[in-house]
Amino acid sequence: MPKKNQTLGEFIIENQQDFAYSSGELSRLINSIRLAAKVVNHEVNKAGLVDIIGNFGETNIQGEDQQKLDVMANETFIRTLTNREIVCGIASEENDDFITIAGCNNDHKNKYVVLMDPLDGSSNIDVNVSVGTIFSIYRRVTPVGSPVTKEDFLQPGNKQVAAGYIIYGTSTMLVYTTGNGVNGFTLNPALGSWYLSHPEMTFPEVGKIYSINEGNYVHFPQGVKDYIKYCQEEKEDRPYTSRYIGSMVSDIHRNMIKGGIFIYPKSSKAFNGKLRLLYECNPMAYIVEQAGGKASDGFRRILDIKPMELHQRAPFFCGSKKMVEKAEEFMANYEE
Ligand code: P6P
């Protein structure tokens, strides 16, 4: 039973038996993520003070300008995960292909792969709006000791053994699940320790917040347009409040506490939406479902989608169960 204010270290030890199949490696993996998160948090928090803000002068596979903090965060998580010899392979939004960790090619028994968005919402860095890290953990499906293959990464989200996010906001939080509910830890930067501030997080079944970039309205499918009008009409518990930060981790974190729905749909500008299935939608969907919420692409459960490509995108409807179900009703009125 989680005890409020216990440290993350104490929590991991107490819940060791909950880590399915784990012989302590998953615990060590979560521990390495919390270490890397502290390093990234330190850099994000001082970004305005040193010449680390601004473009790195390169673009990533997404064709997005790489902010210096993106690169720093990516390198920090990769280095920390590699040094611990727990992980066989890493896939990152910032890397064209997956990375094989040498330990997989000899007698190491590393059995986990990690997929991550090292700094989501990075376009908000220069305007001092909160950003986040998202991670997703699987057991490899190819034989332990052999080199990892793309097959180890292209698993459906329902095979995740853990997922989480770090939100670098007014305070820094690590929120994660290993399949036994969702718990949130807040960093005390003075002590460098994470404390259980949000035990057993539960997504409110209904809410009054809808989060979508309405600037794309004319490009949305008709079902999305109809749902937006539903949110805005004066009827029953509506109109809802529109809140959109432009940083998915922050939008979904707020909705998980207050209730709400986050939608990044496909559009005539982005035929599969913008968000990446493997290291944005799947981990957030796992967390949201573990908290009692719902996540789909407007038609199908996100976690049941079989990935075909490392960086493939998916439309994303995520949040309070009844709000997502209502949005899906509007989507069902039209051909997928
Ligand atoms: P738009 C940030 O770049 C991100 O990947 C998500 O964190 C965020 O929800 C979305 O893109 C914002 O995209 O097109 O509304 O600016």
Side-chain angles (χ1 to χ4, degrees), residues 85 88 102-111 140 144-146:
E85 294 185 351
C88 266
C104 282
N105 302 328
N106 50 42
D107 58 354
H108 284 284
K109 297 295 176 234
N110 306 0
K111 58 188 171 197
R140 66 180 301 175
V144 170
S146 63

Side-chain angles (χ1 to χ4, degrees), residues 208-241:
K208 292 192 168 188
I209 294 171
Y210 70 103
S211 310
I212 186 168
N213 185 344
E214 294 187 60
N216 297 321
Y217 181 87
V218 295
H219 303 293
F220 286 153
Q222 190 56 46
V224 173
K225 291 178 177 176
D226 293 351
Y227 179 67
I228 290 172
K229 291 307 170 200
Y230 168 86
C231 292
Q232 294 172 343
E233 68 183 1
E234 293 265 11
K235 199 173 178 183
E236 297 159 352
D237 59 345
R238 301 182 303 281
Y240 295 152
T241 295

Side-chain angles (χ1 to χ4, degrees), residues 199-302:
E200 298 176 311
M201 295 180 81
T202 305
F203 220 115
E205 200 173 40
V206 292
K208 292 192 168 188
I209 294 171
Y210 70 103
S211 310
I212 186 168
N213 185 344
E214 294 187 60
N216 297 321
Y217 181 87
V218 295
H219 303 293
F220 286 153
Q222 190 56 46
V224 173
K225 291 178 177 176
D226 293 351
Y227 179 67
I228 290 172
K229 291 307 170 200
Y230 168 86
C231 292
Q232 294 172 343
E233 68 183 1
E234 293 265 11
K235 199 173 178 183
E236 297 159 352
D237 59 345
R238 301 182 303 281
Y240 295 152
T241 295
S242 173
R243 287 285 182 276
Y244 191 73
I245 299 170
S247 182
M248 175 178 65
V249 168
S250 305
D251 277 315
I252 294 178
H253 181 76
R254 178 208 51 242
N255 290 353
M256 184 145 70
I257 292 170
K258 293 182 176 288
I261 183 171
F262 171 89
I263 303 175
Y264 205 107
K266 72 178 187 181
S267 71
S268 53
K269 289 198 309 183
F271 191 67
N272 283 315
K274 171 183 183 183
L275 302 177
R276 293 79 171 179
L277 175 62
L278 288 183
Y279 40 80
E280 290 179 329
C281 300
N282 273 340
M284 297 310 287
Y286 186 31
I287 293 162
V288 166
E289 284 197 4
Q290 280 287 311
K294 188 173 168 90
S296 76
D297 65 359
F299 300 94
R300 294 165 299 170
R301 182 184 182 226
I302 281 287

